[in-house]
Amino acid sequence: MSDAKPLPHSFYSRDTVAVARDLVGKVLIHRSDEGEIGGIIVETEAYGPDDPANHAHKGPRPRNAVMFGPPGMAYVYRIYGMYWCVNAVTEAEGVGEAVLIRALQPTVGIETLRRNRGMRDELRDERLLCGGPGRLCQALGITGAHNGTDLVSGPIRIIERPGDLAEMTEITGIAEIVTATRIGITKAAHLPWRFCLAGSPYLSKKP
């Protein structure tokens, strides 16, 4: 993966819902101190315009400042005072939108991902490694220190999977992307802005 080119900034400088859908099937990699770790993105959520669940809905604040910066940056925030979540900033600079990466199918550095999650031998089910945004960040060692880093040149990158859709189907078992309503929020939860790799056992929750 080290020689694979990350998605360009122009990929993110588009409609947020379209970016959320297009990120499913791409590969998220963290170039950590322990080597490269990551996997195939199987679930995303868009946080877009006129969206009360969007952190940027009420305008720029110190916490959400990265969302108003250039597209293609990592927006990392903490929920419940415990768990980090990683997002890709989208749209043009100054807009304030992003895509939450909700789940991965682990493919790179799996033993490191397990150690980071503190998974005992009897709980080594790979479906639990990155099934949810908090688990994902814990497994990949993503923290607030990564907030504002560049997804093109920084330690966290999203790359196009080598090969075509048929190869992805062979690896994941499925290739269809399905749309669902968002989860884990109380505002605008009805919006169909969650995208999942259909039938994947690595989703945080079935659509």
Side-chain angles (χ1 to χ4, degrees), residues 146-170:
H146 296 101
N147 186 42
T149 56
D150 195 328
L151 293 173
V152 177
S153 60
I156 304 168
R157 304 183 183 190
I158 301 177
I159 64 176
E160 186 84 51
R161 278 209 65 261
D164 56 16
L165 191 61
E167 184 182 353
M168 187 173 83
T169 305
E170 182 179 346

Side-chain angles (χ1 to χ4, degrees), residues 58-91:
K58 295 184 178 181
R61 300 287 190 277
R63 182 195 187 199
N64 65 20
V66 171
M67 295 185 72
F68 291 90
M73 300 294 118
Y75 169 49
V76 184
Y77 63 87
R78 179 171 268 172
I79 56 172
Y80 310 129
M82 298 174 61
Y83 307 110
W84 296 105
C85 298
V86 62
N87 303 252
V89 174
T90 55
E91 280 285 1

Side-chain angles (χ1 to χ4, degrees), residues 165-187:
L165 191 61
E167 184 182 353
M168 187 173 83
T169 305
E170 182 179 346
I171 293 174
T172 62
I174 56 273
E176 180 187 1
I177 297 172
V178 296
T179 302
T181 54
R182 298 181 298 184
I183 57 178
I185 56 176
T186 57
K187 298 178 180 178

